[in-house]
Amino acid sequence: MALHGRTPETAPLTLTVDRSNPAAPLIRVGGDLAYTTAGPLREEIDRLLAGAPPAVVLDFADLLFIDSTGLAVIVHAWRQGQATGSTLELRTVPRFLGTILDMTGVTGLLSRTVAQSPPTPQGPPTPQSRPTAQSRPTAQS
């Protein structure tokens, strides 16, 4: 399948990890995040979350393509963060990724706070238990 004159997974995945802020290590993701390239990002996320930092930041400024496997890595990072008490923050989200996150409901998932429980059947959540925006993807061109 060609996308604007290119085929998926033609740009290798690039990762740059910045641990200068131990409370919020940063992974810069570039190239194609797809089935054949997503493994290293998932491994790096798992490595960082093993230390249970308060937050892990994924910067997608150089992302060119993402498929469902790449999206699954983002959801995996959120789930693992929930387990370790870490917040997942997305930065410099390209417009195409922001659209995919919105369409698939992942934006709403990422906005949930760490260890937030679902509403109880007795009624709607109280003001104290409503989700707050911890992860706000920024749609940019």
Side-chain angles (χ1 to χ4, degrees):
M1 171 170 78
L3 301 172
H4 303 290
R6 64 185 292 281
T7 58
E9 303 171 32
T10 56
L13 182 71
T14 60
L15 299 177
T16 306
V17 182
D18 180 352
R19 293 181 180 85
S20 61
N21 179 357
L26 169 76
I27 304 173
R28 288 183 184 87
V29 182
D32 293 350
L33 181 54
Y35 176 75
T36 60
T37 63
L41 177 58
R42 184 178 172 124
E43 291 168 9
E44 190 58 44
I45 288 167
D46 289 345
R47 192 172 7 262
L48 290 174
L49 288 173
V56 170
V57 181
L58 300 178
D59 186 316
F60 292 106
D62 297 322
L63 186 70
L64 300 174
F65 173 83
I66 189 167
D67 70 4
S68 60
T69 302
L71 189 62
V73 170
I74 295 170
V75 173
H76 167 78
W78 177 81
R79 283 188 181 138
Q80 291 302 106
Q82 291 287 294
T84 63
S86 301
T87 300
L88 179 65
E89 181 183 333
L90 306 184
R91 285 194 190 155
T92 323
V93 174
R95 183 172 298 170
F96 73 89
L97 178 55
T99 300
I100 291 168
L101 294 172
D102 289 344
M103 289 176 58
T104 58
V106 174
T107 299
L109 179 75
L110 296 176
S111 68
R112 294 184 189 174
T113 57
V114 174
Q116 176 186 343
S117 58
T120 60
Q122 292 87 3
T126 63
Q128 295 84 358
S129 66
R130 285 197 181 120
T132 58
Q134 293 292 321
S135 303
R136 286 281 187 212
T138 306
Q140 295 187 2
S141 305

